[in-house]
Amino acid sequence: MNLDLALTVATKAAHTAGERIKQGLIEPMNFTSKGDISDRVTQTDLDAQKIIREMLAQEFPEIGFLGEELQTTSYKLQATSSSWIVDPLDGTMNFTH
């Protein structure tokens, strides 16, 4: 794997997801709980993770992906030698206040 390209793509994905997160600050703040009330997830979390996942998968389809938010079959960690591990919005509790 070309690590310089990986850094470039990951940085671009983070910036693109960051734009979605900034947009989420001005939208109505709705959230659900992933277990207890302190473990929140917003649509912004889900959208940011999807943006990152899709941008990384487009360039590196062979690399696994594990995202913090609501796992589905297509998003579960794949058994590969390399994997992306992503928390798209660290601090959702504070984000929702």
Side-chain angles (χ1 to χ4, degrees):
M1 171 179 27
N2 178 333
L3 294 180
D4 288 331
L5 177 60
L7 178 61
T8 298
V9 172
T11 300
K12 184 174 180 182
H15 283 284
T16 303
E19 290 301 314
R20 173 62 187 102
I21 291 168
K22 285 194 294 189
Q23 178 186 347
L25 288 170
I26 60 172
E27 296 173 346
M29 193 61 63
N30 298 312
F31 62 87
T32 58
S33 296
K34 294 188 284 183
D36 65 65
I37 191 67
S38 66
D39 195 5
R40 297 176 176 183
V41 63
T42 65
Q43 188 61 49
T44 302
D45 288 288
L46 300 173
D47 292 349
Q49 179 168 298
K50 183 178 181 203
I51 289 166
I52 294 167
R53 168 72 173 115
E54 289 176 353
M55 291 180 74
L56 295 175
Q58 183 175 7
E59 192 67 43
F60 304 102
E62 73 284 0
I63 297 178
F65 183 90
L66 176 63
E68 179 187 15
E69 310 307 339
L70 302 178
Q71 297 298 306
T72 65
T73 303
S74 63
Y75 282 18
K76 285 188 179 172
L77 184 62
Q78 303 160 11
T80 62
S81 60
S82 299
S83 296
W84 300 101
I85 300 175
V86 174
D87 180 355
L89 197 168
D90 189 31
T92 301
M93 175 66 86
N94 290 329
F95 183 77
T96 60
H97 284 25

